[in-house]
Amino acid sequence: MKKIFSLIMLVCCVGMFTACSDDRDDNPVLQQPETFTLNQPAYSAGVDLQNAKSIAFTWSQPAYGFPAGTEYQLQVSNNGKFTKELDVNADPATQLGVADHVTLLESYKTCDGPLFTKDMAKALQQLNAYEEGKVPATDDVWVRCVASTKGAEKVYSNAVKLSVVPYYVELKDAVPATWYLIGSCIGDGKWTNAEAAIGVSMMPLYTKAGETYDKATGDGKFEYTGYFPADANFKIVKTPGDWDHYVWCTDGTPLGTSLRNGGSDPGNITVPAAGYYTITLDTKALKCVIKPAASTPSATYAMITMPGTPNGWDAANGNPMTPVSASPENHDWFTTITFDANAPADGGTKFAKGSWDESWGIAEFPFGIASGSANIPYKKGTFKVFFNDYTKQFFFIEQ
């Protein structure tokens, strides 16, 4: 009898434990909030967009039922209605008077962040199409925050109103995005993740032939072909200085990749054997594929120069470039150059092997494949320049 009673009590206790476990605090249910609060910034009246650097915003986290990992972006409107978002890839004439807000590209992981005034000025130019010399002395602008988390629909905050002093902005398409290789086999191999290390410890992937890039974000397909030693360890980072967000790491297999955006470090990308590999990165689809290269170089170069109009077309000494790697298999070159004016119609620059025996160019700027003999029509400014002597891909990154 005692055994039967004990068995009954055990079954009841198990049932109680199961019922409680289904409703425990560490197993919360994701809620769908209707809105959340964006606070009025302290600096919100007469903000001089040309001279102020940023406006500090803070907001509450949407009530998801628990502290969910959330990404936030700010939106700017010229009328506070937020009914039609600007399509930057459409004809601007079709957007004027129709689109009333722009989603800024900057994203945040915490409930605060700076809205850079240059981004607000650009958004107002896109929405209002100010004419140069006819920009109003002041203008009203509305800002709201949009929150995104996995498993829930986007949530929009209230809008706050600011008065600003706008200025004319010359609108240009975004240049292709820059993602950087870094690792034991890249540059000096010191893993220095910083703006100052671009060309030393870091180098960008190149644009891909025939690819078009998003006019707002610069996203698209990027490529790199180069030699990797058997013990290669490397990553691909989006933002110099940031190891935690938008960093391509390993998936645990040679040549396998996974994208880290927060969380723990999955580890470095590796190769199965020494050789030439091609990396293809699709920044729209967030997909990275690494495969053995379809072909390999038959020659290496002791030097690469940039003869052109500024140095009198000096192929021997005109702006010599620095090899990115000390490896005998180096095919990437780097320099920083300043052009005091745009290239003349009959001028420009090229890449050469230190003489006119071999030289490469194309009538494209600031990126392309120097597959012909035409001059590269550079623009005024200071640029970090990268060139691959095997694929002939190049990239002028404005500073």
Side-chain angles (χ1 to χ4, degrees):
M1 190 69 181
K2 289 182 178 179
K3 290 182 177 179
I4 293 173
F5 180 77
S6 298
L7 182 60
I8 291 171
M9 289 298 293
L10 177 62
V11 171
C12 289
C13 289
V14 170
M16 290 173 64
F17 178 77
T18 303
C20 290
S21 67
D22 289 340
D23 194 33
R24 64 185 187 270
D25 290 339
D26 61 354
N27 187 32
V29 177
L30 179 67
Q31 306 295 319
Q32 178 61 57
E34 292 185 2
T35 188
F36 63 103
T37 301
L38 175 65
N39 300 315
Q40 185 79 33
Y43 184 32
S44 55
V47 181
D48 188 336
L49 298 183
Q50 194 158 24
N51 293 310
K53 182 179 180 180
S54 64
I55 306 167
F57 278 88
T58 60
W59 51 87
S60 64
Q61 184 180 59
Y64 291 117
F66 57 93
T70 309
E71 181 173 86
Y72 303 94
Q73 287 180 283
L74 294 173
Q75 296 181 323
V76 171
S77 172
N78 62 348
N79 61 15
K81 295 180 180 179
F82 294 94
T83 54
K84 175 67 175 177
E85 184 170 359
L86 180 84
D87 181 357
V88 296
N89 292 304
D91 182 353
T94 66
Q95 301 290 295
L96 188 61
V98 177
D100 67 0
H101 70 279
V102 175
T103 300
L104 304 183
L105 298 180
E106 196 77 26
S107 63
Y108 314 89
K109 296 293 184 183
T110 58
C111 292
D112 62 328
L115 188 162
F116 294 104
T117 53
K118 63 181 179 60
D119 296 332
M120 179 178 280
K122 180 179 178 181
L124 289 175
Q125 181 69 46
Q126 291 171 313
L127 295 171
N128 296 328
Y130 298 131
E131 293 182 40
E132 190 169 9
K134 297 182 180 180
V135 180
T138 61
D139 215 340
D140 291 333
V141 61
W142 288 258
V143 178
R144 74 175 181 180
C145 189
V146 54
S148 304
T149 194
K150 187 176 181 181
E153 296 180 1
K154 288 183 176 180
V155 188
Y156 299 91
S157 76
N158 59 294
V160 297
K161 182 180 178 181
L162 296 82
S163 66
V164 301
V165 179
Y167 63 94
Y168 176 78
V169 178
E170 182 182 359
L171 297 177
K172 298 185 290 185
D173 293 344
V175 297
T178 44
W179 289 69
Y180 298 92
L181 287 161
I182 185 170
S184 64
C185 53
I186 307 300
D188 62 7
K190 293 183 178 180
W191 293 88
T192 306
N193 185 1
E195 287 277 358
I198 297 172
V200 181
S201 295
M202 309 172 71
M203 69 159 294
L205 275 68
Y206 296 99
T207 55
K208 184 175 171 63
E211 181 71 7
T212 56
Y213 295 88
D214 189 282
K215 292 180 180 180
T217 65
D219 285 328
K221 291 182 180 179
F222 298 85
E223 197 174 58
Y224 175 76
T225 296
Y227 178 82
F228 292 84
D231 61 351
N233 279 266
F234 64 98
K235 287 182 166 74
I236 305 170
V237 303
K238 179 180 182 180
T239 306
D242 189 346
W243 283 117
D244 301 322
H245 304 102
Y246 294 101
V247 180
W248 285 98
C249 307
T250 185
D251 69 355
T253 64
L255 302 184
T257 62
S258 65
L259 182 62
R260 179 185 183 190
N261 189 20
S264 59
D265 181 5
N268 302 325
I269 303 169
T270 61
V271 298
Y276 283 85
Y277 294 89
T278 295
I279 301 170
T280 303
L281 174 60
D282 185 337
T283 62
K284 287 183 178 179
L286 292 178
K287 183 178 180 180
C288 183
V289 176
I290 306 176
K291 295 180 178 180
S295 61
T296 59
S298 58
T300 57
Y301 295 91
M303 70 180 301
I304 295 292
T305 56
M306 288 182 63
T309 303
N311 54 50
W313 296 97
D314 184 353
N317 303 296
N319 201 62
M321 304 185 77
T322 302
V324 172
S325 169
S327 164
E329 298 289 342
N330 175 72
H331 292 278
D332 295 286
W333 303 81
F334 163 76
T335 191
T336 299
I337 189 169
T338 296
F339 299 113
D340 295 329
N342 292 347
D346 58 349
T349 190
K350 292 180 179 179
F351 300 100
K353 60 170 286 185
S355 72
W356 287 112
D357 292 345
E358 287 185 74
S359 63
W360 312 277
I362 193 170
E364 295 178 5
F365 181 86
F367 58 89
I369 298 177
S371 55
S373 58
N375 300 330
I376 298 170
Y378 58 79
K379 300 294 184 183
K380 179 181 179 179
T382 298
F383 302 87
K384 288 186 175 181
V385 186
F386 290 86
F387 174 66
N388 184 299
D389 64 38
Y390 173 52
T391 64
K392 305 303 184 288
Q393 292 164 297
F394 66 88
F395 205 161
F396 287 71
I397 303 174
E398 189 167 11
Q399 302 304 290

